[in-house]
């Protein structure tokens, strides 16, 4: 609305001073939490109901590797491939997942895919303990 008053004054050629009406103060937001840089000191993320990851979750990652968009996969002795993604998760005091940060591995799509999986697995499945926690997902598939 204020911007419109300035534009109108400029178009009309009105050189009068435009008075900006007082506005409602913006709500105070909590300061942003900066993700820790040293992940080694963080406690492990513990799920109340741990569940193994279905092998089918690796299909997307395999597709990214096969398409040449991700060179981070490691060849295993058994002849398959693995790709690990380390992540940290910020949990609120009520047990909600507030933030998931993947460690960069040079595969943004896989990093975000892993973040989504961790977010879904942790939703409603962690104790209400506020703080940062670490976890990892290892995708594996045969050659």
């Amino acid at each position: 609305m204020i911007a419109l008053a300035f534009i109108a004054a400029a178009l009309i050629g009105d050189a009068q001073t435009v008075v900006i009406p007082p506005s409602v103060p913006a709500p105070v937001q909590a300061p942003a939490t900066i993700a820790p840089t040293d992940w080694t000191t963080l406690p492990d993320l513990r799920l109340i109901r741990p569940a193994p990851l279905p092998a089918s979750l690796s299909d997307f990652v395999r597709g990214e590797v096969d398409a040449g968009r991700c060179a981070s996969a490691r060849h295993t002795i058994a002849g398959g491939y693995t790709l690990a993604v380390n992540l940290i998760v910020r949990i609120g005091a009520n047990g909600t997942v507030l933030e998931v940060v993947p460690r960069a591995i040079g595969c943004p799509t896989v990093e975000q895919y892993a973040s989504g999986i961790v977010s879904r697995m942790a939703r409603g499945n962690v104790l209400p303990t506020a703080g940062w926690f670490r976890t990892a997902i290892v995708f594996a598939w045969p050659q």
Side-chain angles (χ1 to χ4, degrees):
M1 192 63 134
I2 295 169
L4 291 176
F6 283 120
I7 293 171
L11 291 175
I12 296 171
D14 186 1
Q16 296 177 350
T17 304
V18 177
V19 177
I20 301 172
S23 62
V24 177
V28 177
Q29 295 180 354
T33 301
I34 298 173
T37 56
D38 182 7
W39 294 12
T40 62
T41 61
L42 298 177
D44 291 333
L45 179 68
R46 303 246 186 241
L47 301 177
I48 296 170
R49 296 172 306 283
L53 292 176
S56 61
L57 288 179
S58 294
D59 293 346
F60 172 77
V61 177
R62 180 181 188 166
E64 292 296 291
V65 170
D66 289 347
R69 291 186 288 269
C70 184
S72 298
R74 303 285 182 242
H75 196 224
T76 65
I77 294 172
Y81 291 91
T82 63
L83 191 148
V85 181
N86 295 310
L87 308 104
I88 57 173
V89 182
R90 186 165 64 103
I91 304 295
N94 60 355
T96 58
V97 176
L98 300 175
E99 201 171 343
V100 179
V101 179
R103 172 125 15 232
I105 59 169
C107 306
T109 55
V110 172
E111 294 161 18
Q112 292 306 306
Y113 180 65
S115 296
I117 292 170
V118 167
S119 179
R120 176 65 185 103
M121 289 174 54
R123 192 174 308 130
N125 196 19
V126 294
L127 295 175
T129 305
W132 286 97
F133 299 85
R134 66 182 176 172
T135 191
I137 292 184
V138 178
F139 299 101
W141 61 94
Q143 187 168 359

